[in-house]
């Protein structure tokens, strides 16, 4: 690995990612590691130049105040502590130090070099992937979203035709999305692509399942089953590539942080998984994934494509999924995307989508009382998906979207605009 590294040990802070981003912005690579890492494990990490013990509001776990192992204090690696008075570090800060203090620690005390960039990252990952995979094949779930597309490009650079891409249409895709994936990746990018239409299989499994976590885990597990079946048709498949990124891991829970939501590629994998995982983006934030895609030469329309969750519309059709609500959701989402594109908002807003709750409201259609679904629109901006702000949409644009949805989607009679930031809300509803 070419990059020097600063390790942040998670001692209950909610600001770990803030410090990590701050140091990466200085050009130095950082990783967040658990508080109970051993000296041997720490020194096994490549090019560790310094350690930050980052305490915080969650440092008491099950009634016990957590600390690092005593052996770390004599490991010979520069170390500071933040908001952690019981640490034995020589240098302590009562709260998160300012940028100048962190910069002095990173460069003056740790002697780290500002060599964190995408070119070096890609070179390192290509080497790691080749070493891990050898002459075997990797099966990759290719949704066509940013994460899976960048993983595909990185794996192609590393192992070429040893990569087998599989696009699974689980029936929860946006309108015409599977068709677009096939056109771009098979016909334009010449990817080794297998297309699987598993719509009925997924929707049958999800019947009457209302709990969001259960839905995510069913979708994640079923994805793996489909891949296993496809792998049995091939020879030499030993690895499963995934577009897991850093926010996925953080939000799926750590030793000192509760689960925000399980991600299908983190918390929903079956215990009897038949593959070894290849996750080259697991330490990148979303904007860094995009930068990686640009460095790999992917087209801008692919790199800056709107994020789409792995469970797809399954977590936007709230509660137990029904086919009529799913279709209403798909059509409303297509209208929203069309109108945002016409208004130029597709280039301004990071993520925008519709959801349909599991209830009906009274309305009037054809001069008669009718019961219809509600569509909720959400549009947010963010840098790293850890926090998000609301986009203020012009009322004329919103009114046009409302008129189109209620006219073109007969089962819908109300459209709302959702205004809650992250936190306290998450970006998705489930």
């Amino acid at each position: 690995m070419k990059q020097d590294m600063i390790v942040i040990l998670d001692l209950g802070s909610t600001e770990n990612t803030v410090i990590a981003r701050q140091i990466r912005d200085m050009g130095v690579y950082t990783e967040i590691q658990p508080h109970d890492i051993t000296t041997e494990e720490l020194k096994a990490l490549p090019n560790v130049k310094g350690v930050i013990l980052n305490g915080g509001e969650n440092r008491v776990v099950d009634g016990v105040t957590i600390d690092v192992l005593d052996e770390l204090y004599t490991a010979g690696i520069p170390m500071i502590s933040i908001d952690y008075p019981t640490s034995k570090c020589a240098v302590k800060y009562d709260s998160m130090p300012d940028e100048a203090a962190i910069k002095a620690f990173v460069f003056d005390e740790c002697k780290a070099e500002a060599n964190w960039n995408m070119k070096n990252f890609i070179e390192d990952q290509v080497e790691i992937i080749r070493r891990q995979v050898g002459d075997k094949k990797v099966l990759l779930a290719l949704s066509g979203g940013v994460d899976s597309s960048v993983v595909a490009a990185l794996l192609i650079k590393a192992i070429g035709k040893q990569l087998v891409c599989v696009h699974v249409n689980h029936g929860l895709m946006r309108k015409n999305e599977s068709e677009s994936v096939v056109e771009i990746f098979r016909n334009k990018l010449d990817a080794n692509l297998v297309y699987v239409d598993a719509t009925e299989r997924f929707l049958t499994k999800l019947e009457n399942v209302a709990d969001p976590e259960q839905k995510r885990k069913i979708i994640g597990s079923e994805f793996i089953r489909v891949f296993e079946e496809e792998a049995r048709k091939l020879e030499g498949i030993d690895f499963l590539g995934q577009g897991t990124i850093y926010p996925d891991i953080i939000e799926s829970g750590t030793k000192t942080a509760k689960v925000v939501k399980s991600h299908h590629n983190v918390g929903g994998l079956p215990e009897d998984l038949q593959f070894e995982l290849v996750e080259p983006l697991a330490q990148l934030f979303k904007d860094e994934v995009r930068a990686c895609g640009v460095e790999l030469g992917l087209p801008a329309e692919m790199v800056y494509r709107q994020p789409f969750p792995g469970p797809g519309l399954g977590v936007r059709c709230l509660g137990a999924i029904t086919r009529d609500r799913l279709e209403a959701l798909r059509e409303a989402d297509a209208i929203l995307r069309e109108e945002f594109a016409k208004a130029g908002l597709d280039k301004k807003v990071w993520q925008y989508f519709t959801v349909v709750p599991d209830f009906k409201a009274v309305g009037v259609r054809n001069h008669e009382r009718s019961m219809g679904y509600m569509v909720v629109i959400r549009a947010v901006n963010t840098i790293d998906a850890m926090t998000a702000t609301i986009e203020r949409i012009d009322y004329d644009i919103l009114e046009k979207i409302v008129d189109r949805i209620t006219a073109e989607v007969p089962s819908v009679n109300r459209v709302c605009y959702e205004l809650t930031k992250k936190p306290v809300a998450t970006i998705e509803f489930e």
Side-chain angles (χ1 to χ4, degrees), residues 18-59:
V18 174
I19 298 177
R21 291 309 306 269
Q22 195 172 38
I23 296 173
R24 289 192 189 187
D25 287 344
M26 296 175 189
V28 178
Y29 181 63
T30 56
E31 280 189 12
I32 301 168
Q33 294 287 340
H35 71 278
D36 55 358
I37 191 172
T38 67
T39 300
E40 182 180 3
E41 291 169 336
L42 180 64
K43 291 189 174 181
L45 297 173
N47 299 345
V48 175
K49 297 295 183 180
V51 175
I52 296 175
L53 310 184
N54 198 27
E57 60 190 47
N58 297 321
R59 64 177 179 258

Side-chain angles (χ1 to χ4, degrees), residues 2 15 62 113 123 203 237 252 277-278 316 325 406-407:
K2 296 177 175 61
E15 303 291 337
D62 296 329
E113 292 186 27
E123 289 179 3
L203 294 185
I237 299 287
S252 291
L277 296 180
V278 179
R316 296 177 181 173
R325 278 198 306 119
T406 53

Side-chain angles (χ1 to χ4, degrees), residues 20 23 38 66 78 82 102 137 146 155 157 168 234 246 265 300 312 334 348 370 375 378 384:
I23 296 173
T38 67
I66 59 173
I82 301 172
I102 292 179
K137 292 181 181 178
V146 178
L155 288 170
K157 182 178 180 66
V168 177
L234 304 166
Y246 219 5
N265 51 355
K348 181 184 178 185
S370 68
V375 168
R378 185 155 169 78
D384 56 17

Side-chain angles (χ1 to χ4, degrees), residues 245-263:
I245 65 174
Y246 219 5
D248 295 342
I249 295 172
I250 294 168
E251 288 191 336
S252 291
T254 66
K255 293 179 180 179
T256 60
K258 295 180 179 179
V259 172
V260 177
K261 60 182 176 183
S262 293
H263 288 261

Side-chain angles (χ1 to χ4, degrees), residues 98-162:
D98 60 24
E99 185 174 351
I102 292 179
K103 190 172 184 179
F105 173 71
V106 170
F107 293 111
D108 297 340
E109 187 170 349
C110 299
K111 310 298 183 186
E113 292 186 27
N115 52 14
W116 162 242
N117 57 64
M118 281 303 134
K119 182 179 179 181
N120 284 343
F121 171 81
I122 290 169
E123 289 179 3
D124 285 341
Q125 288 302 318
V126 165
E127 181 181 334
I128 291 169
I129 291 166
R130 287 174 178 169
R131 187 165 58 243
Q132 180 184 7
V133 174
D135 61 354
K136 303 295 184 181
K137 292 181 181 178
V138 179
L139 192 63
L140 173 68
L142 181 56
S143 69
V146 178
D147 301 338
S148 67
S149 297
V150 173
V151 168
L154 187 52
L155 288 170
I156 288 169
K157 182 178 180 66
I159 58 174
K161 292 297 185 180
Q162 292 170 243

